[in-house]
Amino acid sequence: MSAAAKVLDPCSASRMMWFDKKDQRALFGDIRDEQHLLCDGRVLKVEPDVLMDFRQLPFDDGVFRMVVFDPPHLTRAGVDSWMRAKYGMLTSDWREDIRKGFNECFRVLEPEGILIFKWNETQVLVSELLALTDEKPLFGHKSGKREKTHWITFMKRR
């Protein structure tokens, strides 16, 4: 881990939300390392700095100031669909996966560290996700044409 990396993105995929996809303050992780040719001819690259599973992060406790947790949100998608390639898929045990993900993200945060949680509730409601952690969000915002994407901010308790 770079000494400059104070932010962890354990599900970075193609880093779509990042202004600087090579920001040295962040460590980009994902369980996938792959490329896909999209239907419009563009290449989608999932190239993490470190291969990692958000359910079992390879870091000591309390080492990041911020974690950006944007896990896969799809429970169903075609095997060769661009949505699956772009966002990844949840497993059939997605509730336990997300519960473990929240636990791991909070574990690696320093006391009073910030967790930004991003979720699209097209297939699974945000309320179902928030029930999977004992941490309470500070505030959030809905975005997108149909306001299905939620940005939720947490601050880790001491």
Side-chain angles (χ1 to χ4, degrees):
M1 178 174 91
S2 162
K6 300 298 182 188
V7 178
L8 174 65
D9 184 346
C11 310
S12 62
S14 63
R15 308 177 191 188
M16 289 178 289
M17 68 180 159
W18 287 86
F19 287 105
D20 179 356
K21 295 180 186 329
K22 295 181 182 189
D23 195 313
Q24 294 299 301
R25 296 169 295 180
L27 182 68
F28 299 100
D30 206 282
I31 200 166
R32 306 176 295 153
D33 187 351
E34 57 195 32
Q35 291 188 29
H36 300 275
L37 183 61
L38 301 178
C39 58
D40 63 2
R42 289 180 296 146
V43 175
L44 174 79
K45 295 180 181 179
V46 176
E47 297 176 309
D49 296 329
V50 178
L51 281 172
M52 66 180 74
D53 183 336
F54 68 78
R55 297 167 294 189
Q56 190 173 1
L57 296 173
F59 306 107
D60 292 334
D61 297 355
V63 294
F64 292 98
R65 290 186 184 161
M66 178 182 287
V67 175
V68 180
F69 188 33
D70 180 14
H73 61 272
L74 301 171
T75 57
R76 59 192 180 280
V79 174
D80 294 323
S81 75
W82 69 269
M83 292 284 287
R84 184 183 198 126
K86 197 170 185 179
Y87 299 110
M89 285 286 295
L90 292 167
T91 70
S92 60
D93 197 13
W94 64 265
R95 284 179 182 82
E96 185 59 22
D97 294 340
I98 298 296
R99 183 183 330 278
K100 287 178 181 175
F102 270 127
N103 287 342
E104 283 293 282
C105 288
F106 284 114
R107 179 185 67 75
V108 301
L109 266 177
E110 64 185 27
E112 298 183 339
I114 301 296
L115 176 100
I116 305 294
F117 178 65
K118 179 177 170 265
W119 187 259
N120 182 290
E121 69 174 1
T122 301
Q123 296 180 4
V124 178
L125 298 176
V126 166
S127 58
E128 292 181 72
L129 278 288
L130 294 180
L132 301 174
T133 181
D134 292 334
E135 298 286 340
K136 301 299 176 212
L138 291 170
F139 56 88
H141 175 75
K142 294 184 216 177
S143 64
K145 287 185 214 172
R146 294 177 184 84
E147 294 194 333
K148 295 276 189 188
T149 298
H150 294 253
W151 295 83
I152 301 171
T153 303
F154 295 83
M155 180 184 284
K156 180 180 175 176
R157 293 180 247 170
R158 289 191 168 264

Short mmCIF file of all heavy atoms in Angstrom, two decimals, residues 13-15 34-36 43-47:
data_model
loop_
_atom_site.label_atom_id
_atom_site.label_comp_id
_atom_site.label_asym_id
_atom_site.label_seq_id
_atom_site.Cartn_x
_atom_site.Cartn_y
_atom_site.Cartn_z
N ALA A 13 -13.94 -1.26 -9.76
CA ALA A 13 -14.30 -1.61 -11.15
C ALA A 13 -13.51 -0.74 -12.12
O ALA A 13 -12.28 -0.71 -12.04
CB ALA A 13 -15.80 -1.53 -11.36
N SER A 14 -14.19 0.01 -13.00
CA SER A 14 -13.46 0.83 -13.97
C SER A 14 -13.26 2.28 -13.50
O SER A 14 -12.91 3.14 -14.30
CB SER A 14 -14.18 0.81 -15.32
OG SER A 14 -15.47 1.39 -15.18
N ARG A 15 -13.48 2.52 -12.22
CA ARG A 15 -13.23 3.82 -11.58
C ARG A 15 -14.08 4.93 -12.19
O ARG A 15 -13.67 6.08 -12.29
CB ARG A 15 -11.75 4.18 -11.65
CG ARG A 15 -10.84 3.09 -11.12
CD ARG A 15 -9.38 3.43 -11.25
NE ARG A 15 -8.56 2.24 -10.96
CZ ARG A 15 -7.27 2.26 -10.85
NH1 ARG A 15 -6.59 3.37 -10.99
NH2 ARG A 15 -6.60 1.13 -10.60
N GLU A 34 -9.96 -7.46 -15.51
CA GLU A 34 -10.42 -7.94 -16.82
C GLU A 34 -10.74 -6.77 -17.74
O GLU A 34 -10.83 -5.63 -17.30
CB GLU A 34 -11.66 -8.83 -16.63
CG GLU A 34 -12.81 -8.14 -15.90
CD GLU A 34 -13.88 -9.09 -15.39
OE1 GLU A 34 -13.55 -10.24 -15.05
OE2 GLU A 34 -15.04 -8.67 -15.34
N GLN A 35 -10.92 -7.09 -19.01
CA GLN A 35 -11.32 -6.12 -20.02
C GLN A 35 -12.51 -6.66 -20.78
O GLN A 35 -12.62 -7.87 -20.98
CB GLN A 35 -10.18 -5.86 -21.00
CG GLN A 35 -9.02 -5.13 -20.41
CD GLN A 35 -8.00 -4.74 -21.48
OE1 GLN A 35 -8.34 -4.52 -22.63
NE2 GLN A 35 -6.75 -4.65 -21.08
N HIS A 36 -13.36 -5.73 -21.22
CA HIS A 36 -14.54 -6.11 -22.00
C HIS A 36 -14.70 -5.14 -23.17
O HIS A 36 -14.49 -3.93 -22.99
CB HIS A 36 -15.81 -6.05 -21.15
CG HIS A 36 -15.79 -6.96 -19.98
ND1 HIS A 36 -16.15 -8.28 -20.06
CD2 HIS A 36 -15.43 -6.75 -18.69
CE1 HIS A 36 -16.03 -8.84 -18.88
NE2 HIS A 36 -15.58 -7.94 -18.03
N VAL A 43 -13.58 0.00 -24.91
CA VAL A 43 -13.04 -1.05 -24.05
C VAL A 43 -13.25 -0.64 -22.60
O VAL A 43 -12.88 0.47 -22.20
CB VAL A 43 -11.54 -1.29 -24.33
CG1 VAL A 43 -10.95 -2.29 -23.36
CG2 VAL A 43 -11.34 -1.76 -25.77
N LEU A 44 -13.86 -1.52 -21.83
CA LEU A 44 -14.05 -1.30 -20.40
C LEU A 44 -12.96 -2.08 -19.68
O LEU A 44 -12.84 -3.28 -19.85
CB LEU A 44 -15.43 -1.81 -19.96
CG LEU A 44 -15.69 -1.76 -18.46
CD1 LEU A 44 -16.05 -0.35 -18.05
CD2 LEU A 44 -16.78 -2.72 -18.08
N LYS A 45 -12.14 -1.34 -18.91
CA LYS A 45 -11.03 -1.98 -18.20
C LYS A 45 -11.29 -1.96 -16.70
O LYS A 45 -11.56 -0.91 -16.12
CB LYS A 45 -9.72 -1.25 -18.48
CG LYS A 45 -9.28 -1.34 -19.92
CD LYS A 45 -7.97 -0.60 -20.12
CE LYS A 45 -7.54 -0.66 -21.58
NZ LYS A 45 -6.29 0.08 -21.79
N VAL A 46 -11.19 -3.12 -16.08
CA VAL A 46 -11.21 -3.26 -14.63
C VAL A 46 -9.79 -3.66 -14.26
O VAL A 46 -9.39 -4.80 -14.47
CB VAL A 46 -12.24 -4.32 -14.17
CG1 VAL A 46 -12.18 -4.50 -12.66
CG2 VAL A 46 -13.64 -3.95 -14.62
N GLU A 47 -9.02 -2.67 -13.78
CA GLU A 47 -7.60 -2.87 -13.49
C GLU A 47 -7.29 -2.35 -12.08
O GLU A 47 -6.83 -1.22 -11.93
CB GLU A 47 -6.73 -2.14 -14.50
CG GLU A 47 -6.89 -2.63 -15.91
CD GLU A 47 -6.09 -1.81 -16.91
OE1 GLU A 47 -6.20 -0.57 -16.90
OE2 GLU A 47 -5.34 -2.42 -17.69
#
